[in-house]
């Protein structure tokens, strides 16, 4: 059955959710306070790059099932099902999450709810938030306890956002069993097509649902830092971390996915989510349980320093006066997101230490310029590599993986390449006479 749905927040999470819910046949209103963003979305333009989402957006604008507004009262009149997908960034100078955007949605929406309604939170929040928001919504809403707050965490990956929203691994729904009357039924209606595909549907209490999300991200971050710690050991021991990952990954209990050693994780989720998780654990008296995440964070940040050191070694010991080509600025391929991007962070550090850095990324140039306006931005791979003493591959875009040494031979000043993502064919570069280096592979093993 088609429902009328409002989605609050039109970032990666909200815009994707709104467009995909419309694609499932629902009537959807996307709500945001940013008029410029709304104007773009209403014109069928995405404010960020996400493969396949533009088609879903256009299709559902055209068929009239998807609209955007800045008016909360329009949303409250239109829908009885509300999704909250606003950001929960890291607070400045603290580990904890900034919940002001989530709080603002409830403060502004709840007083307008005169009919029974369900508010599904999708944002990643510290455990305990959903219960608090439920109390607040019931207190503010004219419909009182007929307003339910449930938590439905989102696990989408950038680059696969549409696929992950329409075909998730699982749907988790946390409900406050003291008050929830409609939440589960409404969620089953909204996601009926997904449930028909036998996607696992887990109904929990609010706290467990909130924790599922943070636990999943903490596990993924730990897996990446584990292999990056092995990379450090491999470098010291003269071993090859990629072969090691392949070999341990064959054990089904371990699995090969998310075992790619390199310059570590970044983006708008994993770094801030593990920090917010530690902060929240401290508040609820469980800080010892998560002290290992501090080490996960440290290992991850050390990868960036290690890459700067590798670049310094590659240019002969001093970055001052060197020319460095950086291929990749996004925190991962198929994204234009540079939030806490290891690649851009490394480019910035190299420049601060005296190198002249030229950056190229297929999609993240505009966002990079805004964040690091002082770096040189090149128009192409060749342009970035022109006159370079060393080429660093820091995001594993397919364009870079498929790069042929011959295309750069006559462009660079020094034939040295450092693979920060273990994504290149080492043998090919070595055979072409290049000095090839990689993280987690000592020169001996490489
Ligand atoms: C992540 C979670 O995967 C997703 O479930 C959650 O909803 C949001 O956070 P995302 O931030 O899109 O998604 O990126 P992800 O694909 O998880 O990659 C995160 C970072 O880890 C990237 O910087 C990536 O380059 C790095 N990474 C990933 C590695 O360094 N090695 C790996 O093996 C995998």
């Amino acid at each position: 059955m088609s429902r009328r749905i409002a989605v609050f927040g039109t970032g990666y999470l909200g815009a994707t959710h709104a467009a995909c819910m419309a694609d499932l046949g629902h009537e959807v209103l996307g709500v945001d306070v940013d008029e410029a963003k709304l104007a773009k979305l209403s014109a069928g333009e995405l404010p960020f790059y996400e493969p396949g989402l533009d088609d879903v957006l256009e299709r559902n604008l055209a068929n009239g099932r998807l609209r955007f507004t800045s008016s909360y009262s329009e949303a409250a009149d239109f829908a009885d099902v509300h999704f909250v997908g606003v950001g929960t960034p890291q607070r400045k100078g603290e580990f904890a999450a900034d919940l002001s955007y989530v709080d603002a949605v409830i403060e502004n929406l709840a007083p307008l709810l005169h009919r029974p309604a369900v508010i599904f939170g999708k944002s990643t929040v510290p455990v305990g938030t959903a219960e608090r928001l439920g109390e607040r919504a019931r207190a503010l809403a004219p419909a009182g306890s007929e307003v339910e707050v449930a938590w439905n965490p989102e696990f989408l990956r950038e680059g696969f956002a549409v696929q992950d929203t329409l075909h998730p691994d699982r749907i988790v729904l946390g409900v406050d069993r003291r008050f929830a009357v409609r939440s589960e039924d409404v969620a089953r209606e909204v996601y009926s097509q997904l449930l028909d595909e036998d996607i696992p549907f887990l109904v929990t209490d609010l706290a467990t649902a909130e924790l599922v999300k943070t636990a999943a991200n903490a596990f993924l971050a730990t897996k990446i830092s584990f292999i990056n710690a092995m990379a450090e050991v491999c470098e010291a021991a003269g071993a090859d971390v990629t072969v090691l990952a392949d070999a341990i990954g064959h054990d089904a209990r371990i699995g090969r996915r998310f075992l790619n050693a390199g310059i570590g994780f970044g983006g708008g989720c994993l770094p801030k989510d593990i920090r917010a998780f530690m902060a929240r654990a401290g508040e609820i008296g469980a800080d010892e349980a998560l002290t290992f995440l501090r080490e996960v964070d440290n290992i991850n940040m050390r990868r960036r320093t290690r890459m700067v050191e590798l670049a310094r070694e590659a240019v002969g010991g001093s970055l001052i006066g060197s020319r460095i080509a950086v291929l990749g600025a996004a925190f991962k391929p198929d994204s234009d997101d540079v939030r806490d991007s290891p690649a851009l962070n490394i480019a910035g550090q190299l420049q601060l230490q005296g190198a002249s850095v030229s950056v190229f990324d297929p999609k993240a140039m505009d966002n990079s310029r805004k964040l690091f306006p002082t770096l040189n931005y090149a128009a192409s791979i060749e342009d970035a590599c022109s006159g370079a003493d060393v080429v660093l591959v820091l995001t594993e875009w397919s364009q870079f993986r498929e790069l042929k040494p011959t295309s750069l031979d006559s462009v660079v000043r020094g034939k040295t390449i450092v693979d920060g993502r273990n994504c290149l064919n080492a043998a090919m570069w070595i055979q072409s006479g290049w000095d090839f280096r990689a993280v987690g592979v000592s020169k001996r093993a490489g």
Side-chain angles (χ1 to χ4, degrees), residues 69-111:
T69 183
S70 59
S71 163
Y72 270 63
S73 52
E74 189 183 347
D77 286 346
F78 174 79
D80 297 319
V81 181
H82 303 278
F83 282 94
V84 182
V86 292
T88 51
Q90 189 174 339
R91 271 193 229 156
K92 294 228 170 359
E94 282 179 57
F95 270 18
D98 174 357
L99 295 175
S100 55
Y101 303 107
V102 173
D103 287 339
V105 173
I106 300 298
E107 295 296 321
N108 291 315
L109 174 66

Side-chain angles (χ1 to χ4, degrees), residues 167-408:
H167 309 279
D169 295 332
R170 75 297 209 187
I171 299 168
V172 175
L173 180 71
V175 297
D176 189 336
R177 297 193 202 276
R178 295 170 304 165
F179 302 98
V181 180
R182 286 176 295 274
S183 304
E184 185 178 340
D185 291 342
V186 172
R188 284 185 183 278
E189 270 179 41
V190 169
Y191 295 128
S192 65
Q193 286 180 50
L194 279 53
L195 299 176
D196 288 346
E197 278 179 33
D198 285 336
I199 289 169
F201 183 58
L202 293 96
V203 182
T204 73
D205 53 85
L206 289 176
T208 305
E210 293 168 313
L211 281 172
V212 169
K213 173 61 199 248
T214 24
N217 275 356
F219 189 86
L220 293 172
T222 304
K223 202 168 177 189
I224 299 169
S225 277
F226 175 84
I227 202 64
N228 280 329
M230 293 306 110
E232 290 184 14
V233 178
C234 283
E235 282 170 14
D240 184 332
V241 73
T242 305
V243 180
L244 181 139
D246 290 343
I248 63 171
H250 280 297
D251 184 332
R253 292 171 303 176
I254 297 173
R256 180 63 178 82
R257 294 176 70 191
F258 263 67
L259 273 189
N260 296 324
I263 56 172
F265 59 80
C269 292
L270 297 191
K272 64 118 176 139
D273 285 351
I274 60 168
R275 291 173 194 153
F277 198 15
M278 284 186 265
R280 186 61 183 146
E283 286 167 7
I284 60 176
D287 42 352
E288 266 187 36
L290 296 188
T291 46
F292 76 96
L293 285 180
R294 196 173 281 269
E295 205 45 50
V296 165
D297 205 355
N298 286 336
I299 293 167
N300 191 52
M301 298 311 274
R302 267 205 312 270
R303 300 316 292 160
R304 304 178 184 190
T305 323
R306 175 69 188 134
M307 189 68 212
V308 172
E309 288 317 311
L310 274 178
R312 193 195 313 280
E313 284 167 24
V315 296
S318 172
L319 288 167
I320 298 166
S322 66
R323 284 205 209 167
I324 298 183
V326 167
L327 300 184
F331 84 108
K332 68 173 189 181
D334 296 317
S335 169
D336 66 355
D337 196 344
V338 294
R339 284 177 294 172
D340 205 356
S341 167
L344 202 54
N345 184 292
I346 289 163
Q349 285 190 48
L350 290 168
Q351 199 200 33
L352 288 173
Q353 294 186 34
S356 163
V357 181
S358 193
V359 181
F360 176 72
D361 188 282
K363 292 285 176 200
M365 301 298 270
D366 289 347
N367 286 341
S368 302
R369 262 193 212 100
K370 279 181 219 148
L371 202 63
F372 272 98
T374 53
L375 291 168
N376 304 316
Y377 291 98
S380 63
I381 296 177
E382 289 73 21
D383 188 15
C385 296
S386 172
D389 298 308
V390 58
V391 176
L392 311 181
V393 175
L394 300 186
T395 311
E396 65 275 36
W397 284 94
S398 59
Q399 289 94 316
F400 305 153
R401 307 168 81 114
E402 288 154 14
L403 203 56
K404 295 275 174 295
T406 44
S407 67
L408 296 185

